[in-house]
Amino acid sequence: MGTFRHPVRLASLDGSKIRDVEAIVDTGAFYTTVPASLCEDLAMSREGSRSFQLADGSRLEMDYGQAQATINGESVTTIVVFGADDSLCLLGAYTLEGLGLIVDPVNQRLIPGTLLMC
């Protein structure tokens, strides 16, 4: 699947700090990842760390916290990984699913999905 960019608003859990970013939609990434400096600007607490496998097969321990993510007026509390300060913002599957969005790669857009309860 090709990737594309989409705007996302990230906010501290109390809503006092807000940043609008252009993120690369990446369904291959489980969590949303942003530069650690942006996480710190949002006053995100480091809640723990997890091991992640990168695209090249290597593994890396990275810290994570929580923030509010808003797309098209819908918001969700989501896990955000503290990335390297020179990294791009990635919008991961966990956040997309929390917002009930699916990826339309042909038209490079996010659309409301049909949510299943099976």
Side-chain angles (χ1 to χ4, degrees), residues 1 11 35 60 66 73 94 113:
M1 172 184 115
L60 183 63
Q66 293 185 61
Y94 184 86

Side-chain angles (χ1 to χ4, degrees), residues 7-68:
V8 59
R9 172 167 285 176
L10 296 172
S12 58
L13 292 179
D14 67 4
S16 66
K17 298 181 184 287
I18 299 170
R19 300 290 183 271
D20 291 319
V21 300
E22 284 285 319
I24 295 173
V25 176
D26 185 358
T27 58
F30 192 72
Y31 294 130
T32 293
T33 303
V34 300
S37 58
L38 176 59
C39 294
E40 291 160 1
D41 286 349
L42 293 171
M44 284 176 51
S45 298
R46 293 176 189 258
E47 297 179 8
S49 66
R50 294 193 174 146
S51 177
F52 294 89
Q53 182 172 330
L54 305 181
D56 67 3
S58 63
R59 291 196 176 270
L60 183 63
E61 282 285 319
M62 299 172 77
D63 291 339
Y64 66 89
Q66 293 185 61
Q68 285 283 3

